[in-house]
Structures are given as structure tokens and as C-alpha cells.
Amino acid sequence: MTDKTLTQGPYADVLMDRWFKRTFGWAPAKRLMTLFLTELIPERKIVDLNFGPQEHINPIEEGKDARVDVECTDADGTRFVVEMQLAKQADFYNRAVFNSTFAIQNQLKKGSRVYSFPPVYFIGVMNFSLHEEDRVLYRYRLREDSSNEQMTDCLQYLFLELPNCTKAMTADASVLDNFCYVLHNISRLPERPDGLEGEIFDLLFKSADLSNFATDERTQYFEDMHTKEDIERMIAYAGTAIGLETGRKEGREEGREEGKLQVAKAMLDKGMDVETIASLTGLSVAQIQTM
């Protein structure tokens, strides 16, 4: 096994589940999250953020609960649900819709006849692309098909496709382009690149700097890196082995999917939670739950 203490640069991979939450989802990260959301949604004047629960219980007895990476609320009640997805997941949009509904339900009191509530924004940070354009940000709202009339602004979806940040570090790059570039590449950067000025980058690099991690955090981080590397290797090996048996491109694609299923089954047997397995393999929660 490769020794990550020898190959790891000065900054942590903040896209991994535990470390994404450390970077964006707790009280010391409030200022960084505020600046990040302001870049994403500049029309909102974010005053203060309070972090909420990451798990929501479905009121339907047999219904699926929701677990999110980060949820926070502004002083005016506006809610932001942030999800990080490492591996490509075909039904990620459907998952976004499902998880966003809990942030709405929790605002309405039993017996109330009032359906006025502050907006909910779902923000998906994706370490993969669903579009071939050189665009990082995709924003969806509820609108009428023909007239494009907005039905309501109370529910909006924003998706950041990090691999699409091709404009980053150029004269045409926005702060958001460069920020996404850093998120996508920070663990591979030997130092902070020139030109990335401003508080938002100061805070991000400070948070990801491994020298600022407590001893137990560094130990856990390197263990997580080993686990991630092992999982990626197992998926690649299982998928290739199964694909080679068929000798066809289609078979190799099917083999890679079958490889993911095999690895997910092994992870379940070791007691790993479903959401983590889904994030690491790109399989849907439904696929894993049926194993």
C-alpha cells in the first residue's frame, strides 16, 4: 500500500465526506460557508448562519430518512442544504429533490394553514460532470414550460460540476471558477497558486492545511485516504476482471458496474453506512439497500 504520508501534499482532500463537513459544516467554518454561499447566490444578503441537523426522520413509518452533508439556516430562515458527491451517480438529481423536501417540511407547523416559508436552496457539489459544456454552475428553478414564468422561488437547485472549471486561473475566471478549481485540486497542489487572493481563499487553504490538523485528525485523515484509495483500486480491478471475460466494450462497462456492486456488498458486510458507500461508489442508495 502506498504511504500517503510520503505522497500527500500540504493540503487535505476536502471533498471526502468527513473532511468536507469539517471544511464547511461546523461552527468554525461559518465564515467560509457564508462567503461560498454569497458567491453562489449573490442576490441573497446572508447575515448569519446556524448549522442544523444532518439527519431528518421521515414521518412516514416505512419511509426513507434523509441524511445530508451540511444544512444551515440564515437569520431570515432561508435554508441551505449542501451535498458533496464524489462518484458519478445517475440519480443524483432525484436524490437532491428528495433531500430538499425535508428542509421544507420542517418549516411548517402542524395545524397551520399558512404555506408561506423562506426559500430552500439545495447545493450539489459534484466531483464529476453531467454536461460537456465548460460551465461549472447549473441552476434550476420551478418554471412554466412555455412562458418560463416562475412558479415560486421557494425551492431552487444549484449544482457545481467541479471538473468543468476550465476557465479557472485565467483572465476570464470568476471567483467561483477559481474556488471550484481549488476544491477539485487542492490535495494535489504543492502550494497556494499565485492570484488566488481574498478571504474566501485564505480560509479554504487554512482549513485544508494539514499542519493545522490536530494529531488525531491527521491520523484519521490518512486512514480515510488509504480507504478511499483501496476502494477505487477494488472497483477498477473488479470491473476490469469482469469486463475482460466478455471481451467487449459494453462488457467492460457492465463489468465496472458489477465491480461497484461487489465492492459495495463487501463494504456493507464491514458495517459501513449506506450513504458513505453511495458517495464512494456512485451507486444509488436504492441499489445498495436491495443487496
Side-chain angles (χ1 to χ4, degrees):
M1 182 182 292
T2 302
D3 186 351
K4 281 294 180 183
T5 60
L6 297 178
T7 60
Q8 171 71 46
Y11 304 111
D13 183 350
V14 298
L15 297 183
M16 290 195 299
D17 183 70
R18 191 195 315 270
W19 310 105
F20 185 82
K21 293 172 183 174
R22 181 188 183 276
T23 305
F24 291 101
W26 62 323
K30 182 185 292 190
R31 179 59 181 166
L32 177 58
M33 177 59 96
T34 300
L35 293 171
F36 176 46
L37 293 175
T38 299
E39 288 296 329
L40 273 175
I41 317 166
E43 70 272 18
R44 296 217 68 83
K45 305 303 179 185
I46 300 173
V47 177
D48 191 24
L49 290 175
N50 292 306
F51 292 96
Q54 296 173 343
E55 188 168 2
H56 298 283
I57 305 301
N58 197 316
I60 302 173
E61 186 174 353
E62 298 298 322
K64 175 178 169 49
D65 299 331
R67 189 177 179 86
V68 300
D69 289 327
V70 182
E71 184 171 325
C72 48
T73 306
D74 194 7
D76 65 358
T78 301
R79 299 196 180 199
F80 307 93
V81 179
V82 185
E83 280 278 288
M84 173 64 223
Q85 180 63 30
L86 277 172
K88 191 171 185 177
Q89 190 174 46
D91 60 357
F92 186 60
Y93 283 172
N94 289 345
R95 175 177 157 191
V97 172
F98 177 79
N99 285 351
S100 67
T101 62
F102 288 84
I104 294 175
Q105 293 177 52
N106 292 341
Q107 296 192 59
L108 301 178
K109 304 299 181 183
K110 186 176 291 187
S112 173
R113 295 180 178 274
V114 178
Y115 286 89
S116 176
F117 49 85
V120 170
Y121 293 85
F122 181 95
I123 296 138
V125 182
M126 303 154 58
N127 198 40
F128 57 92
S129 301
L130 291 178
H131 300 85
E132 295 182 359
E133 306 170 51
D134 292 336
R135 278 179 56 194
V136 172
L137 176 61
Y138 291 83
R139 188 167 181 173
Y140 297 85
R141 313 183 197 214
L142 298 175
R143 297 183 183 275
E144 201 280 326
D145 280 354
S146 299
S147 67
N148 206 34
E149 176 190 1
Q150 183 167 278
M151 173 181 154
T152 176
D153 67 349
C154 287
L155 184 57
Q156 298 187 34
Y157 298 90
L158 296 89
F159 297 96
L160 290 168
E161 299 187 5
L162 300 186
N164 292 357
C165 55
T166 56
K167 292 181 181 177
M169 310 304 295
T170 70
D172 296 328
S174 66
V175 171
L176 188 61
D177 288 327
N178 288 338
F179 191 77
C180 289
Y181 168 81
V182 175
L183 286 181
H184 190 51
N185 295 287
I186 193 166
S187 65
R188 296 184 288 272
L189 295 176
E191 59 186 10
R192 178 172 170 173
D194 293 336
L196 297 180
E197 307 298 334
E199 186 183 7
I200 191 171
F201 294 107
D202 293 343
L203 293 173
L204 179 57
F205 278 99
K206 181 179 179 181
S207 177
D209 190 335
L210 285 165
S211 67
N212 294 326
F213 281 36
T215 301
D216 59 335
E217 286 183 316
R218 282 197 298 273
T219 300
Q220 183 65 62
Y221 174 76
F222 289 123
E223 287 180 1
D224 287 353
M225 286 294 288
H226 284 315
T227 300
K228 178 173 179 283
E229 187 178 75
D230 289 342
I231 289 169
E232 290 172 345
R233 187 184 299 115
M234 284 190 291
I235 291 172
Y237 174 79
T240 300
I242 295 168
L244 286 175
E245 291 178 4
T246 68
R248 295 180 293 115
K249 179 180 179 181
E250 295 83 2
R252 289 194 295 272
E253 292 296 328
E254 292 174 4
R256 184 167 176 80
E257 187 71 10
E258 181 63 27
K260 290 182 180 182
L261 292 169
Q262 289 186 7
V263 172
K265 178 65 167 58
M267 294 163 76
L268 276 175
D269 292 342
K270 289 183 177 293
M272 293 183 67
D273 67 272
V274 172
E275 295 289 347
T276 298
I277 297 172
S279 176
L280 289 170
T281 63
L283 296 171
S284 70
V285 170
Q287 284 176 292
I288 298 168
Q289 289 176 328
T290 57
M291 290 181 175

